[in-house]
Every structure is written in structure tokens, then in C-alpha cells.
């Protein structure tokens, strides 16, 4: 059970987070301050901020759960993801700095027109709210389990804290709280892993033996050999085969890092293009370190509960919170609880507000007003998106199963459309009709949604990891075809 030292660590961590937010309140004079921090953030701080946003509570909770109940095959996705970061650094970032954008969807305005910009912004709203809703659900379930709270009040507390520090301090507060969050979940994870190993008879060597014999340390899934009777069926239906996972990592992460403004916003807060590229290129080091810690926690938990009575839990995502609550000592338990809580207080509200005000409100709804007006509207937008995020998190709490994969499935529906239209703007010089992009994006999102539903209902065997690939290729081909047909 939690003790007063645990609560003291948690309250102290939240106090630091809120203090950072309120500290930067007086520096917010206009939307350039609120959304870009006037591009004065050090590259190393932006790097840690990006890491904290990329990792989130899903990694802290669901990666150990995946290693505990399945294996380490998630590493295959990391390989593709790291390659995608270099592609984004040298293909996307130069274009965004060249056009001096506030949100990345302004690039589409310059390249194609306002319809593409607005459509991409709306797709971002849907993708980011849904993905962050799942992330908030994962953490709220964990914290509710740890602290014996009801789920709905737990979600409400997280949303209120997020609104407070983001609405007051803007992206500057977001970046520096992310730095604090990254250091906290790396440190707390390492301490928890060290303590867990001391509680296992045989220590690290026993983890290698027990988890290894159970297949929990398997990293590469080679799939069937070419020529095997089920080769093509497995390639098309199993998302964990190495070639499929790496491909999904490359394409899916290129979409996530290059077309999701929540992640790209951190990279736009540094002064120069070169600093932004360096920031992104170095993040795989932090991601690898984080994955090593939390995958090891999953393997360690499997070994620990092979030696002790395993708990009867409703879902694998509860295994780490259960261990923290029932086994770990005071103070150390408080640090891990704080890491989970801080990781849940994610920062999509700032980037959602930025896109709403920059891409929709300012150019389409209310033009020509003062910077004070748009700054006030930005803060109101943070409040509105926070309420929607809380409602979505409550809805996702009713979904059963491994939540790590739910995040990727949701992104698969819309990320392909976003990546397709961005690649058209970056890789081609063709003048593609604005409306053709919008039609292609909507059509391919609907196609991917249909395929995902049919796959989940077992009507069609289809690996969800192909959704982003299909959506990207389909959006590009359809937009090109429609635009060409219109010119004839």
C-alpha cells in the first residue's frame, strides 16, 4: 500500500511540473511565444522533450506488459522507427524551416492550398486525440490501480493538471516539463529494474534463463521461409514478422514524426534547421535506452512471478502497477508512481491548440484580430481539447486487450493519408489540385477504417501494420490520378 513518503514524492513531482508551467506564464506575449517559444529552446532540451512525447505512458506501462505476456519483438519496430527519424530529419525539417511555419500543415498551404492544410489539420485532430486518449486511459488505469482510486476522477485529475500548465506556460512550459518527465521515467525505471533484480532468486542470470526458455526474450520473428505453404498468408497477416515490423516502423514512424504536429512542434522550437536535425537524429539513443529498461522490466516481472504466485489481473497492462504497489518499498514506489503519473500528463493540448488557431481559426473563422485575442483563444482551445481528451479516455477504458497495439491501429487509419499528401509535396514538383488531395485523404482513411474493422471482426485476414503503407501509397496515387483527370 502507498505510504506518506510515496505521496510526498508524487506531490513534490507535480508541484515541480506546475511550477514550471506557471514560471513561463509571463513570457507568453503572443502566439509565437505560445506555440514556438520564439525558437529559443536549446537543442538538448528539445531532444529530451521529443523523447518524453514519443515514449509517453504507453511505453512505461504497456512495453513491460508486452514483454511480460509476449516477447521483445517490439524492438523490430524500433529499428524501422530509427531509420524513419533520419528520413524526417533530412527530408521534412528543411522544408518546414524554409517556409518558416508555425504548424507543419502550413507547408501544405504553401505547396497545394488551404483545403489540403485544413484537411490535414482535421486529420491531426482525430489521430492525436484518439492516440492520446488511449495513452491517458493506460495511465489512468495504472494509477487508479496503484492508488485505489476510481477511474473517472483519475482521468479528470490528469486532464486538469495538463490544462493548467499548458494553458499558462505554452510550448516553453511543455518542453521543460518534458525534460523533467524524461529524466524521471528514465531514473525511476532504472531504479525499479535494479530493485526487481534483487528480489529474484538468481538475479539477472535467472531472468535470462527463465524468460529465455519461455520465449519472452525473443527479439526477431523471421516468419516462414520463402516457399513455405503459408508464406504469403503469414506475411500479409502477421504484423510481428521482422520484415513487416521494420517496414511498418519506417513508414508508420515517418508519418508519426513528420506529419504529427505534436511531435514536430518540439523540433520547431530550436533556432536553426541544423539544430532541429541534430535533435531528431540523436533521439534514437534515448529511445533505445528507455526500451532496454522497460523491456527488461517485463522479462524480470515474468521471472519474478514464475517464482512467486502470479496475480489475477484483468489485463496485462496492470502487471507493473501491481508490482509497484504490492512489492516495492516506500519512496522508491513513490518515484515509479510519479514517473507513471508524469508520463500520463502528456502535452498534445498545446499542439492541438496551435493547429486549431493557426490552420483554422485565424485564417478561416476570425481574421485580423490582435495577438492578445489569438493568445486568449489558444488558451481556450487548450481547455476545449482537454475536455474532449478526457471524454475519449473514459470511452477507451471500456476497450479490453493490449493497449499498446490499439494506439498503432488507430494511427494506421489516418497516418497514411497524412504521409501521402506530405510526400507528394516533398518528393514531387507537380501542381496537384488542392481538392484532389482532400478527396484522396478521405477515401484512403475510409478504406483503412473498413479494412481494420473487417480484420478485427475476423472477416478478413489482414495485418494492421500494412494500413499506413496502403494509405500512403493509395493517397499519392489517387491524388495524382484525380488531378491529372481534372486537367484533361
Amino acid at each position: 500500500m502507498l505510504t506518506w513518503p510515496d505521496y510526498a514524492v508524487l506531490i513534490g513531482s507535480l508541484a515541480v511540473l506546475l511550477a514550471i508551467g506557471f514560471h513561463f506564464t509571463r513570457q507568453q506575449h503572443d502566439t509565437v511565444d505560445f506555440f514556438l517559444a520564439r525558437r529559443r529552446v536549446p537543442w538538448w532540451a528539445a531532444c529530451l522533450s521529443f523523447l518524453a512525447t514519443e515514449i509517453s505512458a504507453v511505453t512505461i506501462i504497456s512495453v513491460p506488459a508486452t514483454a511480460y505476456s509476449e516477447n521483445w519483438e517490439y524492438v523490430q519496430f524500433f529499428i524501422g522507427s530509427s531509420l524513419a527519424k533520419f528520413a524526417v530529419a533530412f527530408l521534412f525539417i528543411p522544408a518546414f524551416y524554409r517556409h518558416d511555419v508555425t504548424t507543419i500543415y502550413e507547408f501544405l498551404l504553401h505547396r497545394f492550398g488551404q483545403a489540403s492544410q485544413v484537411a490535414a489539420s482535421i486529420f491531426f485532430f482525430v489521430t492525436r486525440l484518439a492516440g492520446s486518449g488511449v495513452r491517458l486511459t493506460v495511465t489512468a488505469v495504472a494509477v487508479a490501480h496503484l492508488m485505489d482510486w476510481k477511474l473517472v476522477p483519475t482521468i479528470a485529475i490528469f486532464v486538469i493538471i495538463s490544462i493548467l500548465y499548458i494553458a499558462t506556460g505554452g510550448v516553453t512550459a511543455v518542453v521543460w516539463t518534458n525534460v523533467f518527465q524524461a529524466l524521471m521515467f528514465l531514473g525511476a525505471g532504472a531504479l525499479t529494474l535494479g530493485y526487481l533484480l534483487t528480489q529474484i532468486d538468481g538475479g539477472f542470470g535467472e531472468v535470462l534463463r527463465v524468460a529465455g526458455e519461455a520465449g519472452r526474450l525473443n527479439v526477431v520473428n523471421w516468419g516462414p521461409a520463402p516457399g513455405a505453404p503459408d508464406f504469403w498468408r503469414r506475411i500479409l497477416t502477421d504484423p510481428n514478422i521482422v520484415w513487416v515490423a521494420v517496414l511498418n516502423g519506417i513508414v508508420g514512424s515517418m508519418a508519426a514524426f513528420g506529419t504529427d504536429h505534436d511531435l514536430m512542434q518540439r523540433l520547431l522550437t530550436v533556432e536553426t534547421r541544423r539544430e532541429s536535425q541534430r535533435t531528431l537524429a540523436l533521439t534514437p539513443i534515448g529511445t533505445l535506452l528507455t526500451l532496454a529498461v522497460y523491456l527488461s522490466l517485463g522479462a524480470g516481472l515474468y521471472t519474478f512471478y514464475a517464482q512467486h504466485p502470479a496475480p489475477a489481473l484483468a489485463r496485462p497492462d496492470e502487471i507493473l502497477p501491481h508490482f509497484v504497489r504490492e512489492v516495492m518499498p516506500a519512496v522508491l514506489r513513490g518515484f515509479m508512481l510519479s514517473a507513471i503519473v508524469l508520463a500520463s500528463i502528456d502535452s498534445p493540448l498545446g499542439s492541438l491548440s496551435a493547429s486549431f488557431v493557426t490552420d483554422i481559426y485565424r485564417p478561416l473563422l476570425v481574421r485580423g484580430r490582435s495577438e492578445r485575442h489569438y493568445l486568449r483563444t489558444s488558451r481556450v482551445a487548450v481547455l476545449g481539447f482537454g475536455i474532449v481528451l478526457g471524454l475519449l479516455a473514459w470511452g477507451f477504458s471500456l476497450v479490453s486487450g493490449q493497449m499498446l497495439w490499439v494506439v498503432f491501429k488507430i494511427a494506421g487509419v489516418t497516418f497514411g493519408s497524412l504521409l501521402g499528401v506530405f510526400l507528394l509535396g516533398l518528393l514531387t514538383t507537380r501542381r496537384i489540385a488542392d481538392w484532389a488531395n482532400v478527396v484522396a485523404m478521405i477515401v484512403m482513411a475510409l478504406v483503412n477504417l473498413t479494412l481494420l474493422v473487417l480484420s478485427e471482426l475476423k472477416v478478413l485476414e489482414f495485418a494492421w501494420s500494412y494500413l499506413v503503407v496502403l494509405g500512403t501509397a493509395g493517397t499519392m496515387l489517387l491524388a495524382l490520378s484525380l488531378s491529372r483527370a481534372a486537367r484533361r
Side-chain angles (χ1 to χ4, degrees):
M1 297 295 293
L2 296 176
T3 60
W4 70 263
D6 300 321
Y7 285 107
V9 173
L10 176 60
I11 292 171
S13 300
L14 292 176
V16 170
L17 184 140
L18 290 173
I20 293 172
F22 292 130
H23 172 74
F24 290 109
T25 301
R26 293 183 180 179
Q27 298 182 17
Q28 310 306 306
H29 304 296
D30 54 27
T31 52
V32 178
D33 290 321
F34 198 74
F35 296 144
L36 291 174
R38 214 159 284 278
R39 299 197 197 276
R40 292 175 179 169
V41 172
W43 69 267
W44 60 266
C47 187
L48 286 172
S49 177
F50 188 95
L51 175 65
T53 307
E54 177 190 7
I55 295 302
S56 81
V58 172
T59 302
I60 294 178
I61 302 300
S62 291
V63 166
T66 301
Y68 172 82
S69 61
E70 298 176 21
N71 47 52
W72 283 35
E73 291 176 8
Y74 182 69
V75 172
Q76 299 173 135
F77 179 84
F78 163 76
I79 296 170
S81 177
S82 298
L83 295 173
K85 288 180 178 179
F86 290 101
V88 171
F90 294 99
L91 179 62
F92 288 72
I93 288 176
F96 298 154
Y97 271 81
R98 185 166 58 251
H99 290 284
D100 193 27
V101 300
T102 299
T103 76
I104 58 177
Y105 310 112
E106 287 182 290
F107 166 74
L108 299 179
L109 170 66
H110 294 296
R111 182 65 178 80
F112 300 117
Q114 195 165 64
S116 297
Q117 176 193 19
V118 172
S121 182
I122 293 172
F123 269 62
F124 165 62
F125 295 158
V126 174
T127 308
R128 176 45 55 194
L129 282 169
S132 293
V134 173
R135 292 180 174 91
L136 180 54
T137 300
V138 169
T139 314
V141 168
V143 173
H145 181 86
L146 273 169
M147 305 189 73
D148 200 24
W149 289 354
K150 297 292 185 182
L151 183 60
V152 173
T154 305
I155 292 173
I157 289 171
F158 288 157
V159 170
I160 290 170
I161 293 174
S162 297
I163 290 172
L164 284 175
Y165 89 85
I166 295 171
T168 54
V171 73
T172 309
V174 168
V175 168
W176 288 106
T177 53
N178 282 162
V179 171
F180 178 55
Q181 290 166 335
L183 295 175
M184 180 64 81
F185 67 63
L186 282 169
L191 289 172
T192 302
L193 178 60
Y195 177 77
L196 173 60
L197 291 175
T198 67
Q199 302 303 300
I200 296 172
D201 295 333
F204 182 70
E206 189 67 3
V207 173
L208 292 177
R209 188 186 69 81
V210 174
E213 290 177 355
R216 293 303 190 276
L217 300 180
N218 291 350
V219 175
V220 179
N221 177 356
W222 294 106
D230 62 343
F231 177 78
W232 287 109
R233 183 186 66 80
R234 289 278 307 281
I235 288 292
L236 293 173
T237 59
D238 187 349
N240 291 322
I241 292 176
V242 61
W243 319 114
V244 181
V246 171
L247 176 64
N248 179 47
I250 293 172
V251 180
S253 295
M254 194 183 299
F257 303 145
T259 73
D260 183 332
H261 188 60
D262 190 40
L263 286 159
M264 185 55 71
Q265 186 181 39
R266 278 86 177 145
L267 303 176
L268 297 178
T269 60
V270 299
E271 185 177 3
T272 67
R273 167 188 60 81
R274 192 174 298 278
E275 285 184 321
S276 182
Q277 290 173 313
R278 180 201 303 162
T279 297
L280 184 56
L282 290 176
T283 56
I285 298 172
T287 306
L288 179 61
L289 178 60
T290 307
L291 284 180
V293 170
Y294 284 94
L295 285 170
S296 297
L297 271 176
L301 288 170
Y302 179 84
T303 306
F304 177 82
Y305 286 113
Q307 297 177 351
H308 303 82
L313 301 174
R315 60 175 75 190
D317 287 331
E318 296 177 3
I319 189 63
L320 178 59
H322 177 85
F323 175 81
V324 172
R325 177 180 178 179
E326 301 298 331
V327 181
M328 290 180 68
V331 181
L332 186 56
R333 180 170 50 215
F335 273 105
M336 194 64 225
L337 170 63
S338 298
I340 294 172
V341 171
L342 290 177
S344 71
I345 303 174
D346 199 1
S347 44
L349 304 183
S351 57
L352 289 164
S353 171
S355 184
F356 171 72
V357 172
T358 304
D359 300 319
I360 296 176
Y361 184 81
R362 193 170 197 159
L364 296 179
L365 302 180
V366 180
R367 300 178 182 176
R369 301 294 293 272
S370 67
E371 276 298 316
R372 183 180 296 274
H373 170 81
Y374 292 121
L375 180 59
R376 184 169 58 250
T377 302
S378 302
R379 287 174 165 147
V380 173
V382 168
L383 172 63
F385 281 119
I387 294 171
V388 174
L389 183 62
L391 292 173
L392 285 172
W394 171 77
F396 283 122
S397 69
L398 306 177
V399 178
S400 60
Q402 176 52 264
M403 299 301 285
L404 176 65
W405 305 125
V406 174
V407 174
F408 290 110
K409 291 175 182 178
I410 290 172
V413 173
T414 52
F415 264 164
S417 296
L418 282 169
L419 182 58
V421 74
F422 270 94
L423 289 180
L424 280 173
L426 292 166
L427 298 178
T428 73
T429 57
R430 292 172 181 263
R431 185 61 188 173
I432 299 170
D434 204 14
W435 64 268
N437 284 333
V438 177
V439 171
M441 291 171 70
I442 294 172
V443 168
M444 291 313 302
L446 291 174
V447 168
N448 278 352
L449 178 61
T450 302
L451 289 172
L452 180 60
V453 170
L454 292 176
S455 175
E456 292 296 296
L457 294 175
K458 309 300 182 185
V459 174
L460 175 70
E461 283 192 302
F462 185 80
W464 55 263
S465 53
Y466 283 111
L467 291 174
V468 179
V469 179
L470 177 64
T472 301
T475 298
M476 295 179 73
L477 291 173
L478 185 56
L480 286 168
S481 300
L482 289 173
S483 187
R484 184 177 300 169
R487 288 196 298 266
R488 291 179 179 174

